Amino acid sequence: NIVLTQSPATLSVTPGESVSLSCRASQSISTSIHWYQQKSNESPRLLIKYASQSISGIPSRFSGSGSGTDFTLSINRVESEDFSIYYCQQSYSSLYTFGAGTKLELK
Amino acid sequence: QVTLKESGPGILQPSQTLSLTCTFSGFSLSTYGMGVGWIRQPSGKGLEWLANIWWDDDKYYNPSLKNRLTISKDTSNNQAFLKITNVDTADTATYYCARIDRRNDYFDYWGQGVMVTVSS
């Protein structure tokens, strides 16, 4: 199994700050990583595909980068609606896995 | 417009078999490249991928649960199914189904989720 390690577990920020969330894979997975946002009591929503490709309808303040084993989700100037949990997911293996998530909370 | 909706028993007892149904519209599991995955989330915890089924009936299972999982589909009725045998309290969770496309390999559309409680 490919293990995804997300850090930090919790990130406390104030609106307007810019943040970076990390996802590290246990082996090289090229760019086969996808990011999801899950707000409280909602289903996850796809934010970024294949490490850095944008998704229609997602605000441009969300961006992704990385390849191999280290990936980053960046949020430029966090807004109040961004406080939620973020998960990465790999599809390099047909046996998908998710990271444990990073909770973005209001400081 | 793609939609998915999960249904399940709500509550069941330990050792029973959990049967879940995903009813979808806006795509077909007989179309090349289409797939449906199941993901679960215990309350307050993270997402756990369970299984995928593809248009060609190819199936993949989470190795940690493989012996207990069976995924299947009914293309005529636009449904996908997941069975989990011998449940216990650790299987209490919200269960989601989601669409995947072989060209993309990510979950682009999700259902609203169905809560399942295992309790004696």
Side-chain angles (χ1 to χ4, degrees):
Chain A
N1 267 20
I2 297 174
V3 177
L4 299 178
T5 302
Q6 290 190 243
S7 61
T10 304
L11 193 52
S12 302
V13 302
T14 55
E17 281 188 62
S18 294
V19 298
S20 293
L21 285 61
S22 173
C23 177
R24 179 164 292 176
S26 59
Q27 66 181 73
S28 180
I29 58 171
S30 185
T31 57
S32 296
I33 201 81
H34 319 292
W35 291 93
Y36 301 84
Q37 177 192 55
Q38 187 178 32
K39 297 183 179 181
S40 182
N41 296 318
E42 294 185 8
S43 304
R45 174 176 73 150
L46 181 67
L47 283 183
I48 297 287
K49 61 181 181 179
Y50 288 104
S52 62
Q53 296 179 21
S54 59
I55 300 295
S56 175
I58 300 300
S60 59
R61 63 181 180 275
F62 292 95
S63 63
S65 63
S67 66
T69 60
D70 291 322
F71 303 91
T72 301
L73 174 69
S74 299
I75 310 175
N76 184 32
R77 296 187 178 180
V78 170
E79 298 190 5
S80 57
E81 65 188 34
D82 300 337
F83 293 108
S84 48
I85 302 177
Y86 294 85
Y87 295 96
C88 55
Q89 174 242 325
Q90 65 79 22
S91 62
Y92 183 82
S93 164
S94 294
L95 306 181
Y96 295 177
T97 47
F98 286 92
T102 291
K103 181 179 182 180
L104 186 66
E105 67 175 22
L106 181 62
K107 192 172 186 179
Chain B
Q1 180 189 4
V2 174
T3 64
L4 304 97
K5 187 172 183 179
E6 308 85 351
S7 57
I11 187 165
L12 68 166
Q13 295 184 340
S15 81
Q16 289 186 320
T17 295
L18 170 60
S19 295
L20 298 166
T21 300
C22 175
T23 303
F24 53 86
S25 64
F27 69 100
S28 173
L29 265 179
S30 60
T31 299
Y32 178 88
M34 288 292 120
V36 167
W38 286 94
I39 304 100
R40 72 179 178 181
Q41 184 173 39
S43 180
K45 298 191 177 181
L47 301 170
E48 180 180 30
W49 171 75
L50 298 176
N52 291 342
I53 189 165
W54 296 97
W55 83 102
D56 59 358
D57 212 36
D58 210 3
K59 301 164 187 175
Y60 295 91
Y61 295 101
N62 184 321
S64 67
L65 291 157
K66 182 176 181 180
N67 291 340
R68 299 174 52 216
L69 300 178
T70 303
I71 193 169
S72 60
K73 60 182 171 70
D74 178 349
T75 54
S76 300
N77 290 306
N78 284 343
Q79 292 181 315
F81 310 98
L82 184 71
K83 290 187 187 298
I84 306 178
T85 60
N86 193 26
V87 298
D88 70 8
T89 55
D91 296 308
T92 294
T94 296
Y95 286 78
Y96 297 97
C97 64
R99 189 186 81 158
I100 30 178
D101 181 334
R102 216 11 159 178
R103 297 165 297 182
N104 299 317
D105 275 338
Y106 48 78
F107 299 109
D108 56 0
Y109 292 91
W110 293 66
Q112 63 190 27
V114 62
M115 180 132 189
V116 174
T117 301
V118 180
S119 175
S120 55

